[in-house]
Amino acid sequence: MTLSEVAAEAPDLSNPIINSPYEPPQQHFEIGPHGPTGALKPGRRPSESFIPLPPSRKTRQKHVQEALDFDITGERREVNSLVNDIRREVERWRANNWTGVTPYTRKLLAHWAPGPHREDPVLFCQREAVETAIFLAEVAGRHGTTDYRRRLEPENRMHSDGLPRVALKMATGSGKTVVMAMLIAWQTVNKVMTPRDARFAKRFLIVAPGITIRDRLGVLQPERDDNYYDERNLVPPDLWEVVLQANVKVVNYHTFLPRDAKEIKGVNANTRKLLRGNRPPGDADAFQETPDMVADRVLGAFGSTEGGLVVFNDEAHHCYQDKLLEHPEDVADKSDKERNREARVWFRGLQDVSRRTSVKTVYDLSATPYYLKGSGYNEGHIFPWVVSDFSLMDAIESGIVKIPRIPVDDDAVAQQPVYLNLWDNIRPPLPQRQSSKGAPITSQGWVMPETLEGAIRSLYRSYEQNHVRYEKDLAGLGEPPPVMIIVCPNTVVSKLVYEWIAGWEVDQDGEKRLRPGNLSLLSNIEDGVWTTRQRTILVDSVALESGDPLGPDFKQAAAREIEAFKQEFRLRNPGADVEKINDADLLREAMNTIGKKGKLGEHIRCVVSVAMLTEGWDANTVTHILGVRPFRSQLLCEQVVGRGLRRRSYAANADGKFEPEYAEVYGVPFAFIPSDRATPPPQKDIRPAIRVYAVSERADLAIRWPKLDGYRVELPDETLIADFDEKSRLHVTQEFVALWVENQGVVGERLQIELADIRGARDQRIAYTIAKRLMEDEKYLAAADGVERPWLFPQVVEICRQWLKEWVTTDPDVSKGNLLLVQATSRAAEKVFGSIIRQLGNRAKVLMPVLRRFDPEGSTDDVDFVTRKVVMAPPPQKSHLTEVVLDGQRGNTWEEGLAEILEGDSRVHAYVKNERLGFTIPYVHEGRQHDYVPDFIVRLVPRDADDVERTLIVEVSGSRKSPGPTAAKAHTARHEWCAAVNNWGQYGRWGYVEATHPMQFREVLHDAIENLYADRPIIGLPD
């Protein structure tokens, strides 16, 4: 049976909350090999290492997948036997009124249990986690129970160097901070009342992964006015004075980093090297703290550590003992390396502490206690010291968290919902970094890919509907608005998306003007002025969490919102000196108080984040999440979705259950369906990994090139007439854009979202939009000097109307309104502009390059990668790089032969194989823009000292090359790319040649080089 057939026959799952949040789960939804079956099963869900995902219900695909793989990490649907065994014994122990514990423990357990004595019951998931910890410490191995500590000890010896770790797995939003408070109260009361009992302590070190969590966990300090013990009624009144004796210190893991001695602060790096002398790099630095000094500094905050202490690791998946990898090159991702570096710092810090004092227990709390990539263990493998598990499905069925809904169907042609795995469907790829030359980041002139724009507009349409309900029911009560969060891969993309949504300042005819954002409810510009309160903010989560000052690039990008927050801070805090608060503190305060009445972030509606929004961020007003980044692990998916899982209301209905709340999620395939298919064994690498990099001693062989987004033609100011022909024709489809989307959670109600304004757009609106694009973009009719030419606009609109009427066709049931999406508008503008150029005939025109706004130059200087492809032997001598990488499974003799010819040609100064260089030639084929990657770049020896630099692009055609649109590639390379770059003149003279047969390579190269020296037409259309 197919996924679609299963979904069609499944019973209604519209009532997802089937258990009380205060009692043990009485039933659970069955999860079959294809996802939820709709059947209810009695009793508690067994703990398993997977989280189900609703299957796609699209029925238009040609091939229907029978079942989805469980995940991409190699993890399978696997029962967690230790958790299930302990859970059964804890259930029996609870039913027997917690026999075997101290009287103080029993009093606390009774106080936490539901009953008429509590108006605000403790959630069952919180009680179960605490009960499990208490059972292991006080009961296991006694009164006929199994001593599960004996099962944990070997795992901790193997994985944690003997640290006594106990992990409690709880879904995001289920209240881990409350659990820590309960455990602190239990330990403190017992230690104070029975000082000689070595099982307990009253000193607690709480370690967090960043500043946000560190600050939020301050509620665990009982001396604070806003402490959780009092606020959540966790301690009986007669034990309150006892709990006040708890000594709680909260730090972030950065405190374990060795600090410099006072004597070395301010000394530059070179002087420091001299002072170090000739010690090997691995030797201890005499001017830096030793591990014991680090531990003493951390423990010094307690005054005394007599009697030992208990450690809590919050978000403990960041803390583990790493293993040395056999193939370190397998961890190529920078973020993976950084996460594993942090894990080493955290874990070794705990080791240092354990050598200086007795650590009773290390309690790890996390929603995702899994190993990360590069840790040396199986990615996604659950920590073997996990003893308690309240999973996301448990939390959904008990109503403790919002129900995430993801796209399961849409009207796009693609086989799977296009906004589910959004990152894989975005074309062209998003920018990777800002220009090394410091070009300003701005949305002006940037074309948002239509798939991304469609996803944002679709999610925003749902946000609009949610905001209408908010205005009707909650705004009058002073409640904060709903929030959308967008997670981006880097600062360039986040800045572009932020400005597209919130608006930006443009320089037009020498004047500064404000351009409102594209989403009115989220725009920071309204009626031509900045709004008094920021609706959308841009945050760099990594920078904010580090505690270091914000980088200059991000600080400049967020300058406007930082200044707005300063003004609001002054209004909320009369007399306060805002200048004493740095920008990072202010932005962190705004972000951390989103959704909190009377706070700085109260009115924020949208957060555009660089990297993942920080864990511990406890906003409960998030209703929409968009992931604009790759998600390759279960850990990252669930962590991002976790930012939107916290409920807004905890009011129970007449049945004692919570009403369902939902979060709409695009672009984050946050969980995985198990599969009953066998997992194919991983293929062993036959070839060793080879590092390819630029050799510093060969700097004179470096090759540089411009990176182009396209080409523009400078036209005279005359009457415009279009010459339409078959090249003008455009057919509109919906392959990777959806105007109708259906969202569904694993269980719960479905939601349908439709962009009716785009589907029903009239031709006049579409023509106006295309004409506006033609007039504003320097690739088309905008003057290079920025001077506007409004007299051309009516002509352009009329040309666009004619083109829409006569030369645009669509698939059945597909609207021309799809052309309103910016990337599609650009394709339309390309067609219309091409028709205008053809009509101009022999009028004077000059082809010029359009450089990538954020990355205008490439160079072999930046190359450094690892490959398992075949490389040329012997290594090259005329290349800046160490290797010539060959295409194909067994290499490519044609490419190798050409490289040998280049090595022996005295006219060739340097050459490079175009493998992972980032050198591409943009071209248009069948109405869509593509990137062409030619094979070689060859720099020639100058004819004399005054000669310009001459570079030849060489394509090796044939052999194993795929047929592809070769004519369009060659024509664009020769007559557009080379012509535009040569007309610009900043990179010398360029030419392009195809070598189509190995017997003619030498002759073809000889003629091409001579033509390039002679400035003959091989180089395109010289000015």
Side-chain angles (χ1 to χ4, degrees):
M1 184 178 292
T2 67
L3 288 175
S4 299
E5 291 168 339
V6 169
E9 294 184 6
D12 182 22
L13 304 178
S14 61
N15 181 19
I17 300 177
I18 55 177
N19 293 309
S20 164
Y22 307 119
E23 300 289 347
Q26 301 298 310
Q27 53 189 344
H28 64 276
F29 287 108
E30 179 183 52
I31 304 296
H34 304 281
T37 65
L40 280 176
K41 301 190 70 175
R44 182 74 182 276
R45 175 189 307 282
S47 174
E48 294 181 302
S49 289
F50 75 93
I51 303 172
L53 178 76
S56 167
R57 300 195 299 105
K58 296 192 70 171
T59 57
R60 295 182 297 279
Q61 57 233 46
K62 297 178 181 178
H63 171 71
V64 178
Q65 196 174 358
E66 291 296 328
L68 298 178
D69 284 333
F70 174 33
D71 64 24
I72 59 172
T73 65
E75 184 179 272
R76 310 304 303 166
R77 182 176 184 176
E78 192 172 284
V79 173
N80 298 322
S81 59
L82 177 62
V83 172
N84 291 320
D85 290 346
I86 294 176
R87 179 185 291 170
R88 281 190 292 271
E89 291 228 32
V90 170
E91 287 173 352
R92 288 195 292 268
W93 172 64
R94 183 189 307 122
N96 289 329
N97 200 28
W98 309 297
T99 57
V101 298
T102 72
Y104 309 105
T105 299
R106 187 189 304 278
K107 183 169 186 174
L108 287 171
L109 289 169
H111 181 71
W112 297 329
H117 65 289
R118 295 197 67 98
E119 294 182 3
D120 50 347
V122 176
L123 299 177
F124 170 76
C125 60
Q126 298 163 348
R127 287 167 38 224
E128 182 187 49
V130 172
E131 287 174 338
T132 303
I134 292 174
F135 175 83
L136 291 174
E138 297 194 41
V139 182
R142 304 177 183 179
H143 311 290
T145 62
T146 304
D147 193 349
Y148 290 100
R149 293 171 298 180
R150 303 289 85 84
R151 287 175 62 174
L152 289 175
E153 285 171 359
E155 298 291 357
N156 278 326
R157 282 197 300 271
M158 179 182 298
H159 295 270
S160 300
D161 195 32
L163 283 174
R165 301 183 72 174
V166 172
L168 307 173
K169 181 176 179 289
M170 298 180 66
T172 298
S174 58
K176 295 190 294 293
T177 307
V178 172
V179 169
M180 283 189 275
M182 295 165 73
L183 290 174
I184 290 171
W186 159 63
Q187 283 273 336
T188 303
V189 167
N190 278 284
K191 187 63 177 178
V192 172
M193 303 305 289
T194 55
R196 296 183 181 276
D197 196 329
R199 295 175 296 179
F200 305 109
K202 61 178 181 179
R203 295 177 178 87
F204 306 92
L205 177 65
I206 303 176
V207 190
I211 292 176
T212 295
I213 301 180
R214 183 200 67 185
D215 294 345
R216 189 170 60 80
L217 293 179
V219 296
L220 296 175
Q221 295 168 323
E223 66 272 15
R224 281 183 36 163
D225 292 338
D226 59 346
N227 72 82
Y228 263 21
Y229 313 94
D230 187 25
E231 184 179 303
R232 303 299 179 96
N233 188 20
L234 299 180
V235 180
D238 59 322
L239 293 179
W240 174 242
E241 292 297 327
V242 177
V243 172
L244 280 174
Q245 297 187 44
N247 192 347
V248 180
K249 304 301 178 188
V250 187
V251 300
N252 54 344
Y253 84 91
H254 304 79
T255 198
F256 294 133
L257 290 168
R259 296 178 181 176
D260 287 339
K262 291 185 293 184
E263 294 79 7
I264 203 68
K265 290 182 178 178
V267 175
N268 65 43
N270 290 330
T271 303
R272 185 166 183 161
K273 289 179 181 177
L274 290 173
L275 293 173
R276 275 182 55 89
N278 295 321
R279 295 188 188 91
D283 278 12
D285 190 336
F287 299 102
Q288 202 172 56
E289 290 178 326
T290 64
D292 285 346
M293 293 168 66
V294 171
D296 290 342
R297 170 169 50 80
V298 174
L299 294 173
F302 291 101
S304 169
T305 56
E306 183 181 352
L309 55 81
V310 171
V311 175
F312 290 93
N313 290 329
D314 198 11
E315 307 297 351
H317 49 270
H318 291 288
C319 176
Y320 50 80
Q321 178 178 242
D322 62 319
K323 291 171 60 178
L324 294 178
L325 300 176
E326 295 181 10
H327 303 288
E329 67 275 5
D330 291 341
V331 189
D333 186 83
K334 182 179 179 182
S335 61
D336 291 332
K337 293 179 180 178
E338 182 62 22
R339 284 197 301 268
N340 284 292
R341 186 194 70 80
E342 294 168 355
R344 287 193 293 272
V345 171
W346 192 331
F347 182 82
R348 290 172 185 174
L350 294 182
Q351 287 178 306
D352 297 340
V353 167
S354 69
R355 285 195 299 269
R356 308 298 281 182
T357 189
S358 169
V359 174
K360 305 295 184 182
T361 310
V362 178
Y363 290 109
D364 293 334
L365 291 102
S366 172
T368 52
Y370 306 111
Y371 280 113
L372 303 178
K373 183 177 180 181
S375 63
Y377 302 93
N378 292 332
E379 182 186 3
H381 191 278
I382 194 168
F383 289 169
W385 57 92
V386 173
V387 298
S388 175
D389 177 19
F390 199 83
S391 69
L392 178 58
M393 273 303 297
D394 293 328
I396 288 174
E397 291 166 346
S398 297
I400 294 170
V401 298
K402 290 186 180 124
I403 301 157
R405 288 193 291 208
I406 62 173
V408 296
D409 199 5
D410 60 35
D411 62 350
V413 177
Q415 292 187 359
Q416 295 294 328
V418 293
Y419 302 152
L420 178 60
N421 292 291
L422 178 64
W423 181 262
D424 295 333
N425 293 322
I426 295 176
R427 296 290 184 278
L430 297 172
Q432 296 297 311
R433 60 186 175 90
Q434 188 177 357
S435 163
S436 58
K437 295 184 177 181
I441 299 177
T442 174
S443 292
Q444 191 170 7
W446 178 59
V447 177
M448 178 179 284
E450 60 187 323
T451 303
L452 176 56
E453 184 182 355
I456 294 177
R457 289 191 181 277
S458 177
L459 198 61
Y460 174 71
R461 182 57 45 83
S462 171
Y463 178 89
E464 282 183 315
Q465 297 166 358
N466 195 298
H467 197 271
V468 168
R469 292 192 294 271
Y470 158 76
E471 290 282 359
K472 177 183 177 183
D473 300 329
L474 298 175
L477 303 175
E479 290 292 322
V483 174
M484 177 188 294
I485 61 176
I486 300 175
V487 181
C488 299
N490 57 55
T491 54
V492 174
V493 173
S494 65
K495 181 62 161 50
L496 293 171
V497 171
Y498 166 72
E499 289 190 340
W500 189 90
I501 291 173
W504 68 97
E505 190 175 66
V506 299
D507 190 349
Q508 204 166 40
D509 297 339
E511 295 182 8
K512 299 290 185 182
R513 300 184 184 180
L514 298 182
R515 178 169 294 179
N518 289 276
L519 309 179
S520 58
L521 287 175
L522 308 180
S523 177
N524 289 338
I525 298 172
E526 193 172 52
D527 298 328
V529 297
W530 294 105
T531 56
T532 54
R533 286 181 171 137
Q534 298 290 101
R535 297 172 178 170
T536 297
I537 66 169
L538 175 66
V539 298
D540 184 339
S541 299
V542 175
L544 290 181
E545 282 303 284
S546 69
D548 296 329
L550 296 178
D553 291 340
F554 184 81
K555 187 174 178 179
Q556 180 181 2
R560 167 64 204 170
E561 56 194 305
I562 289 173
E563 182 57 35
F565 285 134
K566 285 183 179 179
Q567 294 176 11
E568 187 163 355
F569 187 86
R570 292 187 185 100
L571 292 174
R572 290 178 182 270
N573 303 274
D577 186 357
V578 72
E579 302 306 325
K580 290 184 178 180
I581 303 174
N582 66 41
D583 294 337
D585 290 337
L586 202 61
L587 196 55
R588 189 184 300 111
E589 171 68 12
M591 185 184 77
N592 291 343
T593 57
I594 290 173
K596 294 177 172 57
K597 290 194 283 188
K599 300 292 186 180
L600 197 59
E602 174 184 3
H603 298 285
I604 292 171
R605 302 175 182 178
C606 179
V607 180
V608 181
S609 170
V610 185
M612 185 186 69
L613 274 170
T614 178
E615 296 149 308
W617 186 58
D618 61 347
N620 64 1
T621 51
V622 176
T623 55
H624 295 76
I625 300 174
L626 178 65
V628 189
R629 57 157 295 168
F631 290 94
R632 305 301 185 212
S633 72
Q634 176 180 342
L635 177 66
L636 285 178
C637 292
E638 188 175 349
Q639 285 175 342
V640 171
V641 172
R643 307 292 79 82
L645 292 182
R646 297 183 187 276
R647 291 183 60 92
R648 188 160 191 155
S649 171
Y650 289 88
N653 59 23
D655 296 328
K657 300 174 183 176
F658 293 152
E659 294 294 336
E661 295 183 9
Y662 293 92
E664 313 304 330
V665 182
Y666 281 13
V668 187
F670 70 95
F672 305 93
I673 279 187
S675 171
D676 49 9
R677 296 181 297 171
T679 304
Q683 294 184 351
K684 295 183 178 179
D685 293 314
I686 300 174
R687 304 189 190 99
I690 298 173
R691 183 184 172 205
V692 182
Y693 60 94
V695 181
S696 57
E697 292 80 7
R698 300 184 196 171
D700 63 308
L701 301 182
I703 296 178
R704 293 172 177 79
W705 58 90
K707 292 186 177 181
L708 272 57
D709 266 342
Y711 321 93
R712 64 180 175 86
V713 177
E714 296 185 351
L715 299 174
D717 289 342
E718 298 185 29
T719 302
L720 300 179
I721 303 174
D723 182 14
F724 295 119
D725 59 19
E726 285 304 311
K727 292 182 181 179
S728 308
R729 194 173 299 282
L730 179 64
H731 187 72
V732 180
T733 66
Q734 270 186 223
E735 184 176 4
F736 292 110
V737 175
L739 302 184
W740 171 85
V741 180
E742 183 175 59
N743 287 4
Q744 185 181 344
V746 175
V747 289
E749 296 180 351
R750 299 168 183 165
L751 174 70
Q752 295 187 3
I753 307 167
E754 183 166 15
L755 298 176
D757 58 325
I758 292 180
R759 188 186 304 280
R762 302 178 63 179
D763 281 5
Q764 178 67 18
R765 178 188 171 195
I766 302 171
Y768 183 92
T769 301
I770 298 170
K772 189 170 183 286
R773 180 72 180 174
L774 285 163
M775 294 298 300
E776 291 179 348
D777 197 320
E778 64 179 17
K779 288 191 295 185
Y780 307 125
L781 298 175
D785 55 8
V787 177
E788 295 182 347
R789 297 183 288 180
W791 57 88
L792 294 178
F793 188 71
Q795 302 178 50
V796 178
V797 171
E798 187 55 39
I799 290 173
C800 292
R801 288 180 62 184
Q802 182 185 354
W803 175 75
L804 279 170
K805 181 179 179 181
E806 300 175 5
W807 298 95
V808 177
T809 57
T810 69
D811 279 350
D813 300 322
V814 173
S815 167
K816 291 181 183 178
N818 280 273
L819 296 177
L820 292 174
L821 300 175
V822 176
Q823 190 179 14
T825 303
S826 295
R827 282 203 298 273
E830 192 80 37
K831 290 288 186 180
V832 175
F833 186 62
S835 304
I836 294 173
I837 292 177
R838 282 192 293 276
Q839 189 277 335
L840 287 171
N842 294 323
R843 294 185 192 178
K845 60 180 182 288
V846 178
L847 193 67
M848 297 295 286
V850 177
L851 297 179
R852 289 187 189 174
R853 190 172 298 272
F854 313 123
D855 189 17
E857 182 182 86
S859 170
T860 51
D861 289 327
D862 303 327
V863 176
D864 191 341
F865 63 89
V866 174
T867 183
R868 294 187 186 275
K869 288 186 177 181
V870 175
V871 298
M872 185 178 76
Q877 300 301 309
K878 286 188 175 182
S879 177
H880 191 197
L881 306 186
T882 53
E883 309 289 348
V884 171
V885 180
L886 306 175
D887 294 329
Q889 291 293 322
R890 299 179 179 84
N892 188 313
T893 55
W894 288 25
E895 293 176 349
E896 191 168 15
L898 182 75
E900 291 172 352
I901 294 173
L902 295 173
E903 286 282 345
D905 195 316
S906 60
R907 297 167 298 178
V908 174
H909 178 71
Y911 74 96
V912 65
K913 173 69 190 309
N914 188 18
E915 174 77 12
R916 302 201 209 179
L917 299 188
F919 173 57
T920 60
I921 294 176
Y923 72 99
V924 176
H925 178 67
E926 294 182 349
R928 301 191 67 172
Q929 182 159 317
H930 307 268
D931 283 326
Y932 163 39
V933 182
D935 291 314
F936 288 89
I937 310 175
V938 182
R939 180 154 65 88
L940 303 184
V941 175
R943 289 178 302 183
D944 52 53
D946 297 326
D947 195 12
V948 298
E949 190 172 277
R950 299 175 186 274
T951 310
L952 183 66
I953 304 169
V954 182
E955 170 69 16
V956 180
S957 299
S959 185
R960 296 181 177 85
K961 295 286 182 183
S962 59
T966 53
K969 293 178 181 179
H971 180 274
T972 303
R974 181 178 290 114
H975 298 295
E976 295 186 26
W977 196 96
C978 288
V981 171
N982 291 339
N983 288 336
W984 187 34
Q986 300 297 310
Y987 283 82
R989 310 293 280 179
W990 286 70
Y992 173 86
V993 66
E994 291 178 275
T996 58
H997 196 283
M999 300 299 293
Q1000 300 171 352
F1001 279 0
R1002 198 175 300 275
E1003 178 183 353
V1004 168
L1005 278 174
H1006 173 79
D1007 291 345
I1009 291 173
E1010 290 304 309
N1011 285 334
L1012 187 54
Y1013 274 135
D1015 290 339
R1016 295 194 184 108
I1018 185 176
I1019 59 175
L1021 302 172
D1023 188 5

